[in-house]
Amino acid sequence: MSVPDSDVRSPDSAAQPISAGIVTALVGFTSSFAVVLTGLTAVGANSAQAASGLLALCVTQALGMLWMSRHYRMPITLAWSTPGAALLAGAGTVSGGWPAAVGAFVVVGAAVILTGLWPRLGRLIAAIPSALAQAMLAGVLLPLCLAPVLALRDAPLAVAPVILVWLVLQRYSPRWAVPAAFAAAAVVIAIGLASGSDGLDTSALLPRLDVTAPAWTWQAMIGIAIPLYIVTMASQNIPGTAVMNSFGYRVPWRPAMLATGVGTLVGAPAGGHAINLAAISAALAAAPSAHPDPRKRWVAAFTAGWAYLVLAACSAAVATLIAAAPEGVVEAVAGLALLGTLGGALASALDDVREREGAVVTFLIAASGVSILGIGSAFWALVAGLIVRVAVSSRR
């Protein structure tokens, strides 16, 4: 899909994909960064480390997009693992604390690289029943998606405007519903800062990397690394290739896995949990709305990469604003951002009647948040679901 340079430089041909790329980055960032900060904080990161993680994710996925879109002339977009961040939010702090979580991120990056080099590992992940993987994801998401309800009960004046704005935009422009909800949350935060005695910590507004030496504990490997790798592959990378195929693009699998694996590995010490092929936001750059000519849509992904570098410079300021939010506001935005993902996961988990018993058990255990031997519920949910699946299959 080679594109003449003259076509790229033409203002008429470039304006549409450039605007699509900016929209792709803005929607991708604003719709789920609150989930990322919530997840990193849950596994032990302080505010500076969480802000550093958001910065690392923006930079690594931006560099990956710039290289892949330009090299392969395809609108290949990358994203951070939103389901993975949701999993972290449910996992909580493991033995070893934040350094152990960083060690788990390093292992995930290495596993993704290995997936690119050893196709059999990719086939092994694809062999995990989709119903169980989606049920595990749905169970992890459920407590987060309940947050807007609980927050509305506890702080109605702060949370009601956020939900109202989200609801109105769902009616008129669903793509912008979550970004608009965050904008409403920002107004609520600004009012709270103006009326209170506490101000923003201006020293924390400038972006900086906070590097942590990784540590490895078996609880973090089993409770974070394995579920995070499975969720990232099953809910992001594999669907991401399917979305691109639907628009006529064949994603180069091995280079994509190597690029995202190396990006995850490099960003992990700074707090980046995982980057991967974009799934939902991939359509914004690969669809005909980005450009009628499929050969020119790569410019949208290339532009999104540059836009993410600009957003990376704002990551610390955004994290500082979130840290100053009234209780419940950030959780409400994160929960609203994940409703669509929860709905899709539930639909996929329960679609096949033959897999339903195992999927329901997986969902319930993942949603319970139970921790055994220091290992979170996501791992035990998948184990229990596989056991039930084998038992039910034997019965039949």
Side-chain angles (χ1 to χ4, degrees):
M1 291 187 180
S2 176
V3 183
D5 290 340
S6 59
D7 288 343
V8 176
R9 290 194 295 266
S10 169
D12 292 336
S13 65
Q16 190 173 354
I18 287 175
S19 62
I22 294 173
V23 169
T24 299
L26 286 175
V27 171
F29 183 91
T30 57
S31 63
S32 57
F33 76 88
V35 183
V36 171
L37 293 174
T38 300
L40 295 178
T41 303
V43 291
N46 58 35
S47 57
Q49 290 164 337
S52 173
L54 185 61
L55 172 62
L57 291 168
C58 287
V59 171
T60 51
Q61 69 189 36
L63 295 178
M65 275 189 280
L66 290 173
W67 177 73
M68 293 198 70
S69 61
R70 180 78 179 181
H71 184 76
Y72 293 101
R73 290 298 199 269
M74 293 185 194
I76 301 173
T77 51
L78 305 183
W80 52 59
S81 178
T82 301
L87 185 145
L88 296 179
T93 306
V94 295
S95 176
W98 175 242
V102 169
F105 303 160
V106 170
V107 171
V108 171
V112 175
I113 293 173
L114 185 59
T115 304
L117 296 175
W118 189 34
R120 181 173 295 181
L121 181 58
R123 290 194 293 268
L124 180 63
I125 295 299
I128 295 176
S130 175
L132 299 189
Q134 293 298 323
M136 179 185 72
L137 176 60
V140 168
L141 294 175
L142 181 61
L144 297 174
C145 291
L146 288 173
V149 179
L150 302 177
L152 183 62
R153 178 198 64 188
D154 298 334
L157 293 179
V159 176
V162 176
I163 296 178
L164 181 61
V165 168
W166 173 83
L167 190 60
V168 171
L169 267 292
Q170 281 290 337
R171 171 66 176 84
Y172 294 103
S173 182
R175 177 190 299 177
W176 293 99
V178 175
F182 168 68
V187 173
V188 171
I189 296 169
I191 293 174
L193 290 172
S195 60
S197 57
D198 296 333
L200 287 176
D201 181 7
T202 55
S203 64
L205 298 178
L206 296 177
R208 67 182 182 90
L209 293 176
D210 192 314
V211 178
T212 300
W216 288 275
T217 65
W218 66 271
Q219 292 94 336
M221 294 303 100
I222 298 176
I224 293 182
I226 292 176
L228 179 57
Y229 170 68
I230 292 174
V231 164
T232 299
M233 293 299 300
S235 300
Q236 294 281 165
N237 284 329
I238 294 175
T241 59
V243 170
M244 292 293 288
N245 286 339
S246 70
F247 292 108
Y249 299 99
R250 186 177 180 85
V251 175
W253 176 256
R254 175 171 291 183
M257 293 302 98
L258 293 178
T260 55
V262 170
T264 300
L265 197 65
V266 171
H273 65 289
I275 63 169
N276 42 244
L277 290 171
I280 299 174
S281 61
L284 298 175
S289 58
H291 199 284
D293 187 350
R295 296 173 300 171
K296 298 180 181 179
R297 295 175 197 164
W298 71 271
V299 178
F302 190 73
T303 303
W306 285 110
Y308 263 110
L309 289 179
V310 175
L311 291 169
C314 305
S315 58
V318 170
T320 303
L321 183 67
I322 289 298
E327 185 176 356
V329 172
V330 177
E331 291 81 359
V333 175
L336 294 173
L338 292 170
L339 285 179
T341 306
L342 173 62
L346 284 172
S348 299
L350 301 177
D351 182 58
D352 190 343
V353 176
R354 295 170 300 177
E355 301 281 1
R356 193 162 290 174
E357 291 91 345
V360 169
V361 170
T362 302
F363 168 74
L364 291 175
I365 294 177
S368 71
V370 64
S371 178
I372 303 174
L373 300 176
I375 301 171
S377 61
F379 174 79
W380 298 116
L382 193 58
V383 170
L386 289 170
I387 292 174
V388 171
R389 183 177 186 270
V390 170
V392 171
S393 299
S394 300
R395 181 191 70 197
R396 289 170 180 162

